Amino acid sequence: MRLAIPHQQRMPLAIAALGFLFLGLFLLYPLFNVFSASVLDAEGEKFTFANYLKVLGRPFYRAAVTNTLTIGVIATITTTLISVPFAFALARLPVPGKAVILALAAMPLVLPSFVSAYAIVLLLGRAGIVTQWLNSWGIGFGSIYGAGGIVLVYTLTLYPYVLLPTMAGFRAVDVSVEEAAQSLGSSPRRTLWTVTLPIVIPSILAGGLLVFIETLENFGVPFVLAEDMPIFAVEAFKLFIGETAPNPSSAGVLGVLLILTTAAVLLIQRRYLSARRFATGTRAAPPILKVGLGLRIAAAVYCWTVVLLALVPFFAIVVLSFMEFRGPVLHPNFSLDNFRILFDRSMRPLINTLLFATLAAMAVTLVGVPIAYVVTRVRSTLATVLDVVATLPFAIAGTVLAIGFVVSFNSGWLILTGGPLIMVLAYTVRKVPFAVRSSSAILHQIDPSLEEASISLGRSPLQTFARILVPLMLGGILSGFVLTWVTVASELSATVVLYSGPWRTLTVVMFQALESGGGGVATAAASTLIVVTLLPIALLYRLVRRYELS
Amino acid sequence: MTGIVIEGAARSFGSVRAVDGVDLTVGDGEFFTLLGPSGCGKTTLLRMIAGFCELDAGEIRFGARRIHQLPAHTRDIGMVFQNYAVFPNLTVAGNVAYGLKARKVAGAELAKRVDEALALVQLAGYGERWPHQLSGGQLQRVAIARALVIRPQVLLFDEPLSNLDARLRVSMRAEIRELQKSLGITAIYVTHDQEEAMSVSDRIALMQSGKLEQVGAPADIYRNPASRFAAEFMGTTNLLSVGALRPEALRLAADAPAGWPRLAGVLVRAEMLGPITRLDVRLSDGTLVRAALLDDPGRSMIAGDTVTFAYDPARLTDLP
């Protein structure tokens, strides 16, 4: 008997099997272990809900839950309030330098947010430059430590998540719908409120959701700014590091709660959005509105202010990294001393960062592109399940996944702790959803008949994939590769749990320098990180432009 | 060169029987068309032959060789797609060479055969162009050259002309027919356009709901439809109590032999379409009869006139 798998399903099935194997071992298995850690006693033997009662019974951890959610909600509201008018101005008003604004507005998405947080401390903290300058004039202001500072940094670094989809939403509005409203007697202002905005609301919400989830998972910003205020991701990390019992039950509890919160938010959003699809059959981008000089100036000033304000902290870090730190106090003596100290100690962190980013970006591409192929080209329950599992890491905080990794791979048949591989694997799993999303987006635009044409001409499905699909997807694969590379280079939340001995990265150096108050090394590491992040992006930009011009 | 035999082919998607037990024999070198409304199963049947759609039951043979379990890329088929499916990352020559390279043809032989194929579809000298520089008609020629150059056993056409404008469709279909006949390759052509089907085909299989409704030469199906569906799909049909009658079988009573049966009624509408004039006439029993007459400058009729037709009883078709 021949195995009865139809020949055109063999390649998708093989990919799906490998995909499930990888994600099962390095995503579902660690998550299962986090879950089981939370429901087992300290020895890891008996089933119990006592851990949940213990953790939630303490006001400190209950406060962590409320603080995290409150900060998340407020930051989501502030980013939305800032981004929607910004998006409208970019999409529909005459603002000078739109291309530059857009390029600059996307930068906070790839720059590490905890660097921005650290810059805020150096500028506005107790010993901050701006604080001291204002104090010398007798002006004081509230503390930026705690919720206020965290919301500020989230707003400055996460606003593009709302801006970009909302702008796309405003641009996708079919003008004829607005024209219909006006021909029915609605004024332009009323049309904006009653027709245009409601159509764009799903895009705004989708962006807002991304912001909210980012705030739940973010480790670096609260680590720098929260001080005594308990925050979910930070406390999970501290609990895990501090737990001496064989079973990290308390960290497990916080991890499970974090996952459940994110999952609940995602489900609510899915239910809400599935009922509201206002895709309008758009033919051309809506025209730029004719407005008075006053509004034009206001729009331009507003857009440029937001974009530049968000980048000021990063710029400040680069400047400060050339200054002399005595303890936490800065002195305006410009030199390369900070970098000398950073790199004299060891070049390893920089090399590790570059190495891990490259390996993880390669692995993400190898895993993500084939999974995207199955998800877009095969209609079956199996493909849907694979899609859900491959999207799952998006809802898992880096800290939680890393805890799962340590619990799963520090003993037994597969021991990875203490080495570099465990870090690369964690990065890969975390970034797979982005690779799958971006590759699926391209694959949706490639007509399946191209593959059929290739197959009917005598190329096997595998050869067709390599000769037709990969060349057509190359631009997208390359940008996905660079984005993965860049975000892995500045990854902190999983890294601080998983790094060991010689495998420290730049983010770890910065993290440790912050803990020990070594401001010079921290700023030098941060500016190196900014350069490491922006260089590949700039190269990609040039490459893409040259490609488009030819 | 090969004939194609399909026996008991069946395929369901959920509860829908897309292809429901089709038996078909296509002769060696025949131009055979699968015709029918959208959703009738014609494309599914074509994709079964190509190897892109699994059979639930039945078998397909090229000559004596059973092919329905072979992977698509080993079936030796040339296929032309509705949306051309020209590889945008390859030049025109690269597209045409694609199947040859898969067959390990190389060097001077490769170049020669690519040039020949391009000349065959009147694209000589276009080899270095990129697909985005070509018009829709030229892209479809590239697709045809790409399918022909591998000298396949069977050529499959999946609505190849439906993305082209009306004028180009008419000239391209004649070209496709001529190419197929000069090369003698067995071809299966899918379309929903009965005029296109009649113009290119040796034989037509009319399909409905996954089944063959009628198989025959174009004139045969048009003149002797086996069912009401066949009669109406192949062209306008007057369903009279005595049988079915095509519009062009009706003549004005004054121009007809005395012995032909008559039909009298009131003219509802007259449409002048150039070479022919279409008349809608309501008979006294309420039936609407459509007639098509060649243009005659000496004739003038307006709505409300009484019109009497006559018809040759031999042209009546009995429908079950």
Side-chain angles (χ1 to χ4, degrees):
Chain A
M1 266 294 286
R2 222 163 50 87
L3 195 62
I5 298 175
H7 45 79
Q8 66 266 64
Q9 290 173 21
R10 280 176 207 159
M11 188 171 86
L13 274 176
I15 294 171
L18 288 174
F20 277 122
L21 189 69
F22 179 82
L23 293 170
L25 184 57
F26 296 114
L27 174 66
L28 299 180
Y29 176 60
L31 288 183
F32 172 79
N33 281 334
V34 170
F35 175 74
S36 67
S38 76
V39 291
L40 292 175
D41 63 9
E43 304 311 313
E45 282 160 8
K46 289 199 207 79
F47 179 85
T48 172
F49 277 119
N51 306 317
Y52 284 86
L53 295 176
K54 190 177 88 190
V55 170
L56 291 175
R58 288 174 57 185
F60 183 76
Y61 291 113
R62 283 210 303 276
V65 177
T66 18
N67 289 341
T68 309
L69 292 179
T70 312
I71 288 176
V73 168
I74 295 176
T76 307
I77 293 171
T78 53
T79 45
T80 306
L81 288 179
I82 284 187
S83 300
V84 174
F86 194 169
F88 182 78
L90 280 185
R92 304 295 300 273
L93 297 179
V95 176
K98 271 184 194 174
V100 182
I101 291 181
L102 260 181
L104 294 177
M107 275 164 63
L109 287 185
V110 293
L111 289 165
S113 55
F114 59 91
V115 168
S116 178
Y118 182 48
I120 296 288
V121 168
L122 293 178
L123 295 174
L124 304 173
R126 267 172 224 108
I129 307 171
V130 177
T131 316
Q132 290 184 341
W133 184 72
L134 286 176
N135 284 344
S136 70
W137 290 85
I139 307 168
F141 59 94
S143 163
I144 55 103
Y145 299 94
I150 297 177
V151 168
L152 174 68
V153 172
Y154 281 158
T155 310
L156 290 179
T157 54
L158 299 179
Y159 81 89
Y161 279 115
V162 183
L163 172 71
L164 298 178
T166 306
M167 193 187 65
F170 275 124
R171 282 196 176 153
V173 172
D174 191 338
V175 198
S176 57
V177 180
E178 292 183 359
E179 288 166 352
Q182 292 182 15
S183 75
L184 291 168
S186 174
S187 71
R189 186 183 300 265
R190 180 170 176 271
T191 306
L192 174 64
W193 284 102
T194 56
V195 175
T196 315
L197 261 182
I199 293 178
V200 178
I201 277 185
S203 311
I204 300 174
L205 285 177
L209 178 88
L210 290 180
V211 171
F212 188 69
I213 289 179
E214 281 292 321
T215 65
L216 291 186
E217 298 181 357
N218 199 305
F219 169 83
V221 173
F223 181 82
V224 174
L225 280 170
E227 294 218 313
D228 301 332
M229 190 180 217
I231 299 287
F232 236 145
V234 179
E235 297 315 321
F237 168 74
K238 287 183 183 163
L239 268 178
F240 181 70
I241 298 296
E243 260 174 313
T244 45
N247 185 36
S249 51
S250 302
V253 168
L254 280 193
V256 169
L257 290 178
L258 196 48
I259 293 171
L260 289 181
T261 315
T262 327
V265 176
L266 279 172
L267 279 180
I268 292 168
Q269 185 244 14
R270 206 164 250 218
R271 282 196 74 122
Y272 176 84
L273 280 190
S274 65
R276 287 168 186 75
R277 283 265 159 83
F278 309 125
T280 51
T282 177
R283 282 174 297 281
I288 302 297
L289 300 173
K290 289 198 176 70
V291 291
L293 186 66
L295 190 54
R296 259 161 64 181
I297 293 175
V301 169
Y302 179 72
C303 293
W304 278 101
T305 307
V306 173
V307 147
L308 294 178
L309 215 53
L311 295 176
V312 161
F314 298 101
F315 183 73
I317 280 283
V318 175
V319 174
L320 294 178
S321 63
F322 294 102
M323 289 167 73
E324 185 188 341
F325 284 77
R326 288 187 202 140
V329 183
L330 275 159
H331 291 267
N333 307 325
F334 287 86
S335 74
L336 288 171
D337 282 351
N338 296 328
F339 292 91
R340 205 167 294 136
I341 297 168
L342 171 68
F343 292 119
D344 272 356
R345 212 181 283 167
S346 170
M347 289 294 283
R348 281 295 291 272
L350 177 61
I351 294 168
N352 288 341
T353 296
L354 302 180
L355 180 72
F356 293 166
T358 309
L359 288 175
M362 281 169 18
V364 165
T365 310
L366 284 177
V367 175
V369 174
I371 288 181
Y373 174 81
V374 174
V375 166
T376 48
R377 288 295 191 257
V378 180
R379 273 163 204 270
S380 72
T381 325
L382 192 76
T384 313
V385 174
L386 185 62
D387 193 13
V388 170
V389 174
T391 314
L392 194 59
F394 174 68
I396 311 297
T399 322
V400 178
L401 183 73
I403 291 173
F405 263 57
V406 174
V407 176
S408 307
F409 304 118
N410 70 348
S411 62
W413 58 277
L414 183 60
I415 297 177
L416 297 170
T417 45
L421 191 60
I422 193 169
M423 302 171 75
V424 174
L425 283 169
Y427 300 146
T428 306
V429 171
R430 288 205 72 194
K431 302 301 170 192
V432 156
F434 300 93
V436 172
R437 282 286 148 271
S438 64
S439 303
S440 313
I442 319 165
L443 276 166
H444 274 303
Q445 293 173 355
I446 300 177
D447 198 293
S449 65
L450 285 177
E451 291 152 64
E452 291 178 355
S454 164
I455 291 172
S456 79
L457 288 168
R459 292 288 186 196
S460 70
L462 197 64
Q463 288 173 323
T464 297
F465 187 80
R467 284 170 180 270
I468 298 297
L469 284 183
V470 169
L472 289 176
M473 295 172 70
L474 204 58
I477 292 176
L478 190 67
S479 9
F481 183 94
V482 171
L483 279 181
T484 309
W485 196 96
V486 160
T487 46
V488 165
S490 56
E491 212 279 355
L492 178 67
S493 58
T495 311
V496 289
V497 178
L498 293 174
Y499 81 89
S500 59
W503 302 109
R504 298 188 312 157
T505 62
L506 277 179
T507 53
V508 175
V509 172
M510 192 186 151
F511 174 77
Q512 289 176 332
L514 283 179
E515 277 188 314
S516 61
V521 171
T523 50
S527 349
T528 314
L529 213 49
I530 291 172
V531 173
V532 162
T533 311
L534 291 186
L535 219 55
I537 299 271
L539 283 176
L540 180 72
Y541 247 76
R542 285 195 61 138
L543 209 66
V544 168
R545 290 206 40 183
R546 191 179 304 161
Y547 185 73
E548 278 171 354
L549 288 177
S550 71
Chain B
M1 280 179 272
T2 334
I4 302 169
V5 179
I6 301 171
E7 276 175 9
R11 177 65 198 255
S12 300
F13 297 109
S15 61
V16 181
R17 295 187 166 186
V19 173
D20 192 4
V22 167
D23 296 303
L24 207 56
T25 306
V26 178
D28 186 1
E30 191 175 16
F31 200 120
F32 192 92
T33 295
L34 301 173
L35 173 67
S38 62
C40 73
K42 56 189 193 298
T43 298
T44 307
L45 187 56
L46 189 81
R47 292 170 61 80
M48 284 176 168
I49 302 169
F52 299 129
C53 179
E54 203 72 12
L55 281 74
D56 292 339
E59 70 173 48
I60 301 174
R61 296 194 299 271
F62 287 177
R65 203 160 65 105
R66 296 170 62 194
I67 57 105
H68 62 277
Q69 283 180 330
L70 293 178
H73 67 280
T74 61
R75 291 193 186 186
D76 200 17
I77 278 171
M79 186 156 175
V80 180
F81 295 82
Q82 178 174 357
N83 58 0
Y84 325 132
V86 170
F87 306 129
N89 56 323
L90 300 174
T91 60
V92 168
N95 267 277
V96 178
Y98 189 86
L100 290 175
K101 285 181 180 166
R103 287 165 174 72
K104 309 274 184 260
V105 178
E109 165 80 0
L110 179 78
K112 186 173 134 267
R113 283 177 66 177
V114 168
D115 286 346
E116 280 172 6
L118 285 175
L120 209 55
V121 296
Q122 295 163 31
L123 284 178
Y126 278 70
E128 294 315 306
R129 304 249 185 128
W130 290 92
H132 65 87
Q133 300 169 313
L134 303 186
S135 68
Q138 289 170 325
L139 285 172
Q140 198 54 289
R141 286 166 196 274
V142 174
I144 293 170
R146 185 178 68 179
L148 290 176
V149 76
I150 58 172
R151 296 171 191 159
Q153 293 189 65
V154 173
L155 265 176
L156 303 178
F157 295 91
D158 184 9
E159 311 220 15
L161 304 180
S162 50
N163 281 5
L164 303 178
D165 66 60
R167 217 171 273 272
L168 198 55
R169 262 202 309 266
V170 172
S171 63
M172 280 291 283
R173 73 191 189 201
E175 259 183 71
I176 288 178
R177 160 97 189 168
E178 269 170 40
L179 272 174
Q180 185 268 342
K181 281 300 157 201
S182 67
L183 298 169
I185 303 174
T186 311
I188 298 190
Y189 190 101
V190 161
T191 182
H192 61 267
D193 181 334
Q194 53 83 26
E195 188 190 298
E196 192 175 301
M198 294 189 65
S199 104
V200 295
S201 315
D202 294 323
R203 281 196 301 152
I204 293 172
L206 184 62
M207 291 184 71
Q208 192 200 10
S209 311
K211 291 188 165 135
L212 296 184
E213 191 76 19
Q214 188 173 0
V215 182
D220 185 37
I221 299 188
Y222 184 76
R223 290 179 191 145
N224 302 305
S227 63
R228 185 173 163 166
F229 170 79
E232 290 186 330
F233 195 84
M234 295 307 288
T236 311
T237 309
N238 293 304
L239 294 167
L240 306 173
S241 55
V242 287
L245 202 59
R246 294 284 180 204
E248 68 278 9
L250 291 163
R251 283 195 219 164
L252 289 176
D255 307 337
W260 288 10
R262 316 264 143 165
L263 293 168
V266 179
L267 184 63
V268 180
R269 187 186 307 118
E271 275 182 312
M272 164 65 187
L273 298 176
I276 64 160
T277 301
R278 266 223 276 264
L279 302 175
D280 291 1
V281 170
R282 175 126 11 235
L283 302 184
S284 53
D285 63 357
T287 321
L288 193 70
V289 169
R290 295 197 163 89
L293 305 177
L294 285 174
D295 183 42
D296 178 359
R299 188 174 59 214
S300 83
M301 277 183 282
I302 57 166
D305 288 357
T306 302
V307 180
T308 308
F309 292 123
Y311 62 87
D312 182 352
R315 293 180 75 169
L316 269 179
T317 317
D318 285 327
L319 294 179

